């Protein structure tokens, strides 16, 4: 168990206190005093490792199953003995400009908080340190932990959305560059970017309902005065969702404009090809007529026939060239 337990501590009046090393004894001690709670953090536990924790804390089997299978949508579930919240932190990788999502589950109940983390994108050590530095907040018990974790995840949504906005501006600059950028790969880049934004939306969008519910009164195991704090988190989440939706709309517009731009370039290419084909067709036609070897062609015996025909072909080609150039075909 020590391999999956990241941290385990008892908090009394908002301050970390020493307690038994075994979390079962620590939970009994926290419940015995009535003014403390236990916060235990787990990282990617196996079913066997989590069985002991779920039995000790009385976690619902369905919630335990969701916590072990890290493929859940953000949600809020209320059970008899606990409250279960699923969050999906978003990770932005600057090296590859890619967006990935991890999962974070939070159980809160009678004098305990259990956090289960899947992936490297949601370290809670910084959240725990920040809460321990604010005992006035932490003294509100498990609700304070749920608020701090949700706030950290949602605030990071806004940071990632800002990074994606910068990437989108760079993509727009490249797609609409005068030289056209790398047109062969622009559509693939836009589509890849759109997939990343979709992954972001799957993490942030479904979280709106759980946050709105936490911001209202009457949710079990949530402190009665916590609604304003969760409303603040919900406001930040709304802002993040609006940014993501804006990115998605802009990407659709960029893709449509890129495809239209490609169509215009193809039309320009076709005009150029047609213009050159027309200029080649005129001398070909003249040469074909005088290459038929007919006997009754008076011009064949005229001394100026050859220069006249060459001059005619050159003049016709030059005239067509000036015409196409003036109309923008060349």
């Amino acid at each position: 168990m020590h391999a999956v337990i990241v941290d385990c501590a008892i908090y009394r009046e908002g301050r970390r206190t020493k307690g038994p090393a075994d979390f079962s004894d620590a939970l009994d001690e926290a419940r015995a005093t009535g003014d403390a709670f236990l916060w235990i953090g787990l990282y990617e536990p196996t079913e066997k490792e989590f069985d002991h924790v779920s039995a000790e804390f009385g976690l619902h089997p369905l919630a335990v199953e969701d916590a072990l299978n890290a493929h859940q949508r953000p949600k809020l579930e209320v059970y008899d003995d606990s409250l279960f919240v699923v969050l999906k932190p978003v990770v932005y990788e600057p090296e590859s400009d890619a967006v990935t999502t991890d999962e974070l589950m939070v159980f809160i109940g009678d004098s305990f908080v259990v956090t289960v983390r899947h992936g490297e994108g949601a370290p809670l050590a910084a959240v725990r340190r920040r809460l321990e530095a604010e005992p006035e907040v932490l003294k509100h018990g498990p609700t304070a932990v749920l608020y701090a974790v949700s706030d950290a995840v949602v605030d990071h949504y806004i940071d990632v959305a800002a990074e994606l906005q910068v990437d989108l501006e760079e993509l727009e600059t490249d797609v609409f560059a005068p030289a056209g950028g790398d047109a062969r790969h622009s559509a693939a880049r836009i589509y890849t970017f759109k997939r990343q934004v979709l992954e972001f939306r799957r993490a942030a969008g479904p979280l709106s309902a759980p946050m709105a519910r936490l911001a209202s009164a009457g949710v079990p195991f949530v402190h009665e005065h916590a609604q304003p704090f969760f409303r603040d988190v919900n406001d930040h989440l709304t802002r993040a969702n609006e940014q993501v939706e804006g990115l998605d709309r802009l990407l659709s517009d960029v893709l449509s404009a890129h495809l239209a731009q490609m169509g215009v370039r193809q039309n320009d290419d076709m005009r150029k090809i047609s213009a050159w084909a027309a200029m080649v067709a005129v001398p070909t036609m003249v040469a074909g007529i005088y290459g038929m070897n007919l006997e009754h062609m008076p011009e064949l015996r005229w001394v100026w026939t050859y220069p006249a025909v060459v001059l005619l072909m050159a003049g016709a080609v030059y005239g067509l060239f000036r015409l196409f150039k003036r109309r923008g075909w060349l």
Side-chain angles (χ1 to χ4, degrees):
M1 283 298 298
H2 293 287
V4 299
I5 296 179
V6 179
D7 200 350
C8 180
I10 295 176
Y11 295 90
R12 183 174 287 106
E13 292 298 323
R15 300 187 183 278
R16 184 169 183 147
T17 61
K18 292 184 178 180
D22 183 76
F23 68 84
S24 299
D25 297 334
L27 179 60
D28 292 337
E29 180 178 321
R31 286 175 170 172
T33 58
D35 60 348
F37 71 95
L38 174 68
W39 181 2
I40 178 172
L42 306 177
Y43 176 70
E44 296 186 353
T46 64
E47 182 177 357
K48 183 177 180 180
E49 291 168 336
F50 201 47
D51 281 345
H52 185 45
V53 176
S54 60
E56 186 65 34
F57 289 89
L59 305 180
H60 197 278
L62 292 177
V64 172
E65 181 181 355
D66 290 343
L68 291 173
N69 300 321
H71 299 286
Q72 307 298 320
R73 285 167 56 89
K75 63 180 180 178
L76 168 65
E77 298 286 352
V78 178
Y79 298 102
D80 294 337
D81 299 323
S82 63
L83 184 71
F84 178 58
V85 180
V86 178
L87 304 169
K88 292 185 75 68
V90 173
V91 182
Y92 176 79
E93 300 175 0
E95 295 81 8
S96 58
D97 295 334
V99 173
T100 58
T101 57
D102 295 325
E103 292 198 22
L104 178 61
M105 289 78 170
V106 183
F107 296 87
I108 66 174
D110 179 20
S111 302
F112 73 84
V113 179
V114 177
T115 55
V116 182
R117 182 164 59 93
H118 292 271
E120 299 292 339
L124 297 179
V127 177
R128 191 185 286 260
R129 287 195 300 269
R130 180 165 62 87
L131 278 174
E132 290 176 353
E134 300 176 353
E136 289 301 317
V137 176
L138 194 55
K139 73 178 183 180
H140 291 92
T143 302
V145 177
L146 178 59
Y147 158 71
V149 171
S150 303
D151 186 58
V153 170
V154 171
D155 284 348
H156 193 59
Y157 285 169
I158 297 176
D159 296 337
V160 173
E163 294 285 351
L164 290 177
Q165 182 66 44
V166 174
D167 291 343
L168 177 58
E169 291 172 359
E170 294 176 355
L171 180 61
E172 286 179 317
T173 301
D174 184 59
V175 169
F176 297 111
D182 190 356
R184 294 175 300 174
H185 302 294
S186 293
R189 291 175 58 197
I190 296 171
Y191 180 76
T192 301
F193 203 130
K194 200 169 180 65
R195 290 287 301 176
Q196 294 175 359
V197 172
L198 177 61
E199 188 73 13
F200 198 156
R201 293 185 66 176
R202 287 175 177 172
L207 188 58
S208 297
M211 286 298 108
R213 188 175 177 185
L214 288 170
S216 61
V219 180
F221 307 106
V222 176
H223 196 278
E224 58 182 359
H225 299 302
Q227 284 77 29
F229 298 95
F230 285 108
R231 279 199 296 269
D232 181 67
V233 176
N234 195 33
D235 289 341
H236 291 178
L237 179 61
T238 301
R239 176 185 169 189
N241 282 325
E242 289 175 350
Q243 288 178 298
V244 174
E245 290 176 3
L247 288 171
D248 189 56
R249 287 195 298 270
L250 281 174
L251 278 170
S252 298
D253 294 341
V254 169
L255 181 58
S256 298
H258 171 67
L259 295 177
Q261 190 179 47
M262 291 296 294
V264 171
R265 289 174 184 165
Q266 289 175 353
N267 289 335
D268 289 340
D269 293 340
M270 289 302 299
R271 282 199 297 265
K272 291 178 181 179
I273 293 172
S274 300
W276 285 109
M279 288 188 291
V280 171
V282 171
T284 301
M285 180 187 67
V286 175
I289 292 174
Y290 280 90
M292 290 188 294
N293 297 323
L294 300 177
E295 292 185 7
H296 303 288
M297 292 184 69
E299 296 85 356
L300 293 179
R301 300 185 180 277
W302 185 37
V303 69
W304 298 106
T305 297
Y306 176 74
V309 170
V310 172
L311 183 62
L312 173 64
M313 290 190 294
V317 170
Y318 179 72
L320 289 173
F321 178 81
R322 290 293 303 271
L323 176 64
F324 292 141
K325 192 73 173 178
R326 186 167 57 250
R327 293 188 175 182
W329 284 37
L330 292 173

